[in-house]
Amino acid sequence: MKLALPIIALALLSSGPALAIDWTVDKEQSSLTFTATQSGSEFTGHFGAFDATITLDPANLDGAGIKVSVDMTSVNTNASDRDAQLPTADWFDTAQFTTAIFESASVVHSGGNSYEASGSLSIKGAAKTVTLPFELTVNGNQASAVGSLNLDRLDYSIGSGNWANESMVGFPVTVNFSIEASAN
């Protein structure tokens, strides 16, 4: 019995917290889009290149982490005039800022399949703290996440200069994502 107690104590000390789950994003099945208005009409654009590093176990969010890098040069709104303007200094300034980054500081469960990732969103050199709500469905080693985030484009100096008012392009922008991933 004296030998059993140290073995049990060692087992309890070495068990530690549950390991987080790393996810690999299926880029072909995932999307990152945005919706805005120009001249009073809504339009949608998408980013063709983005990468995400996701560590998340819904049963143990202490070790959760999400980092998304978006290649701002991969934007496409299916309007050649608009697409030619977006890389310029007044808009995304992709000559200086090729990447936008979201990095979570925490992920919390907000009920049912709902979660919120709070962290820093950096676009065009401006970093702001945001809370990103999303719905998560996990089925075995497959996961789907969908969510959206409402932004004010001026918070990130997007549409500066002659575009710093709403006469042509609205301030609100909604970023939408749909992620399909598999557990590593």
Side-chain angles (χ1 to χ4, degrees):
M1 183 66 164
K2 288 183 180 181
L3 183 58
L5 288 175
I7 292 173
I8 292 171
L10 183 60
L12 289 173
L13 290 173
S14 65
S15 63
L19 296 176
I21 300 171
D22 292 329
W23 297 90
T24 299
V25 174
D26 181 342
K27 294 177 186 178
E28 296 297 318
Q29 298 299 315
S30 300
S31 65
L32 179 62
T33 64
F34 65 94
T35 304
T37 58
Q38 181 177 6
S39 300
S41 297
E42 189 174 273
F43 71 92
T44 299
H46 76 274
F47 293 97
F50 65 92
D51 196 19
T53 303
I54 302 169
T55 301
L56 191 141
D57 178 354
N60 179 14
L61 295 173
D62 289 341
I66 300 169
K67 183 175 182 179
V68 180
S69 301
V70 181
D71 179 350
M72 299 300 282
T73 66
S74 72
V75 68
N76 184 341
T77 67
N78 291 318
S80 59
D81 289 347
R82 184 172 40 234
D83 290 343
Q85 287 297 311
L86 287 175
T88 68
D90 283 343
W91 294 96
F92 293 157
D93 195 5
T94 59
Q96 291 189 68
F97 305 102
T98 58
T99 307
I101 297 174
F102 170 78
E103 188 162 8
S104 69
S106 67
V107 178
V108 296
H109 182 231
S110 52
N113 287 346
S114 299
Y115 294 81
E116 292 181 342
S118 296
S120 176
L121 176 61
S122 177
I123 305 173
K124 198 177 172 182
K128 305 286 181 189
T129 300
V130 299
T131 299
L132 177 65
F134 63 96
E135 298 289 319
L136 176 66
T137 303
V138 178
N139 187 8
N141 70 342
Q142 299 298 306
S144 298
V146 294
S148 65
L149 178 65
N150 295 317
L151 303 174
D152 182 326
R153 66 179 174 86
L154 291 184
D155 287 346
Y156 300 92
S157 298
I158 297 173
S160 57
N162 293 331
W163 306 101
N165 61 58
E166 286 188 292
S167 64
M168 290 295 291
V169 181
F171 292 152
V173 177
T174 301
V175 178
N176 301 294
F177 65 89
S178 176
I179 302 292
E180 297 294 325
S182 57
N184 293 339

